[in-house]
Every structure is written in C-alpha cells, then in structure tokens.
Amino acid sequence: MPHPHRLRLTLAKLAAILPVEFALHAAVLALHPPYLLTVALLALTTTALVIWVVEPSAMRLLRRWLHAPGNHLRRQTHDELTQAPSLWRIRVTLDDRSGELERLTHRLADLDANILGLHVHPVDSGVRDELVVSTPDSVGADELLAAIGSAGGREVHVWPTTALALVDGQTEALNLAARVVADPAELSHAVAELLGARLVTDQLAVAQGMLPQDGTMLKIPSPWSGLFVFIRPGEPFTPAESARAHRLAQVAELARNLEEDCPAKS
C-alpha cells in the first residue's frame, strides 16, 4: 500500500487513541485508586492497548481512507502507462502518384495513429516512405500491416521503435560526419549507425557473392581496405541512403589525406 498522507495518519491515530484514553481515565477516576497505582495503571494499560490492539485495528479499519490519495495516484499512473502510445517504424513502397500518401495517412488515422516523422526516398518502383508513428497501446503490428496494405502499400515492414527514431536525420548525419573527420577509422561504425546496418566481416562471402542480391546489401569504398560491405536483412537500402554512405566515405578519405599531408609538410 502507498504511504498515507501525514494529516490522515495523524487523524487516524487520534481517532484510535482518544476513546481509549477517555474510557481508562473515566474508570480510574471512578475507582479512586492510590496515586502511584493510578499513574502506573494508566501508562501501562494505555500503552499496551494503543500499540498492540487499538492502533493496528484502527489502521486496518481506516485503510481505504488512509491510502486513498496514494491509491488514486497509483491507479492514475497505471492508466497512463496502459494507455501510453506505442511507437512504430514503418517502411512501405507506394506508387509515385498523387494521392497515394494521402490515402495511407487516412488509413493510419482510422487506427488513431499519429505520424511523427516521414522521409520519402525515390526508388525505381515508386517511392519508398519511412514513417515513425505513435498508436494507442491496443494497436499492434498486424493492424498496421492490414491498414497499410489496404492503402496500396507494398513491401511493408513494421518494427517497434523508441523515441530515438525521432532524432533529426540531418543532425545525426552531421554528428557522424564530424566523428569521421576526427577519426577516419570510424567510417564503418558511422555508416552502420547511420543506416541501422551490419558490417560484413566475412571477406570470403563477399568475394564469392554469397550475400543477398535483393537490395539489402550495400558496398562503399574504403580509403584503406578497398571496400566496406553492409547488410540489412529485410530492409533494402534506398538510393538516398546509399548516397549518404558514399558521401561519408568521401569525407573519411579527405580526412585521411589531410592527416597524411600534415606530417609530410611538417
């Protein structure tokens, strides 16, 4: 149980103690025992009754009233948590025609989904839209997939995500570019972080062409090893993402050349 409010706890203790004190004093005054006996009787009896009998009984009897504010706050917090929105990241391919995105947003609105972020990537088969949406906790991936499919979406992928997905993409790219300038060796880690991909370290698989050819593999030049290969199963890379990764590779190469030129000039 939540801790009761101090005022309510004080009132409850007074309500428990006063009747006992009143009854004992009335009985002692009626019997007129010796003074020392009166004091000892009142002190021992009152203490024993209050500590072991009256106060615990009063706390149980007044429990709902005592803890009412805390219980209300706890219920309110629980309701807020259970009704809190869920965040989802969605990737979907749409035809590059007027009204396609509007139809998708209407289908999502039917689920009370709120679009918090949107990026559009042109691809050969239309446009690849990446959205971050919040939904009521009762809406799951199946409902989102059905709504997006009814809007004409293709190659749909839906993942639970966090508020980190709402970080501005341009700011993130600039931060990673600054990291690569400071240390060109960070290129592979920066690209993996930027694209949410995994660096392929199995060079034999790369050489023998064992990696998927469905657009989920990306190759970028490396200033020191010749080539970096990244994969992202289930999520084909868009042309815009490929351009960003190649631009980071150019930044790393320029930074490395500057590092090599500076010692030579000095």
Side-chain angles (χ1 to χ4, degrees):
M1 299 291 288
H3 195 276
H5 192 275
R6 181 177 298 177
L7 177 60
R8 293 194 175 215
L9 184 60
T10 301
L11 293 175
K13 289 184 176 181
L14 287 174
I17 295 172
L18 281 177
V20 176
E21 292 280 2
F22 181 83
L24 286 174
H25 280 75
V28 169
L29 291 175
L31 296 175
H32 296 293
Y35 176 75
L36 292 179
L37 180 59
T38 299
V39 173
L41 183 62
L42 287 174
L44 293 176
T45 308
T46 303
T47 302
L49 285 175
V50 169
I51 292 178
W52 292 317
V53 180
V54 178
E55 187 173 335
S57 300
M59 296 301 106
R60 286 194 298 270
L61 182 63
L62 300 174
R63 181 172 54 184
R64 295 187 63 180
W65 177 80
L66 269 175
H67 302 286
N71 281 333
H72 174 72
L73 180 60
R74 178 176 290 182
R75 285 194 299 269
Q76 182 179 359
T77 303
H78 178 266
D79 292 342
E80 289 175 354
L81 289 174
T82 55
Q83 296 172 9
S86 301
L87 290 178
W88 302 89
R89 189 160 62 95
I90 299 171
R91 282 199 171 205
V92 55
T93 300
L94 298 173
D95 293 331
D96 192 9
R97 296 198 306 264
S98 177
E100 290 296 304
L101 182 58
E102 182 181 4
R103 183 165 60 169
L104 173 62
T105 58
H106 285 166
R107 294 293 184 275
L108 292 175
D110 292 338
L111 298 176
D112 290 330
N114 184 27
I115 298 176
L116 303 176
L118 171 65
H119 296 282
V120 179
H121 309 279
V123 294
D124 293 337
S125 56
V127 290
R128 188 77 167 162
D129 292 347
E130 183 170 349
L131 305 94
V132 177
V133 303
S134 66
T135 66
D137 193 55
S138 57
V139 175
D142 292 339
E143 289 84 357
L144 288 171
L145 288 169
I148 296 168
S150 67
R154 308 185 306 277
E155 302 174 22
V156 185
H157 301 278
V158 176
W159 305 270
T161 189
T162 66
L164 293 177
L166 299 174
V167 174
D168 179 70
Q170 294 178 346
T171 301
E172 182 182 11
L174 288 172
N175 289 335
L176 292 174
R179 183 167 138 194
V180 169
V181 169
D183 184 3
E186 285 288 306
L187 174 63
S188 60
H189 304 295
V191 172
E193 185 175 337
L194 177 66
L195 304 182
R198 179 170 62 85
L199 175 67
V200 177
T201 56
D202 187 351
Q203 298 302 321
L204 182 61
V206 175
Q208 296 181 353
M210 300 169 59
L211 298 177
Q213 304 297 319
D214 56 356
T216 60
M217 178 184 66
L218 177 65
K219 298 179 180 179
I220 65 169
S222 165
W224 46 86
S225 63
L227 196 69
F228 281 135
V229 180
F230 300 88
I231 60 171
R232 192 171 62 186
E235 291 188 72
F237 295 102
T238 65
E241 290 177 323
S242 176
R244 293 171 194 158
H246 280 80
R247 188 57 181 161
L248 270 183
Q250 293 173 359
V251 170
E253 185 173 3
L254 289 172
R256 191 180 186 210
N257 291 338
L258 287 173
E259 286 182 352
E260 293 175 350
D261 290 344
C262 287
K265 290 180 180 179
S266 58

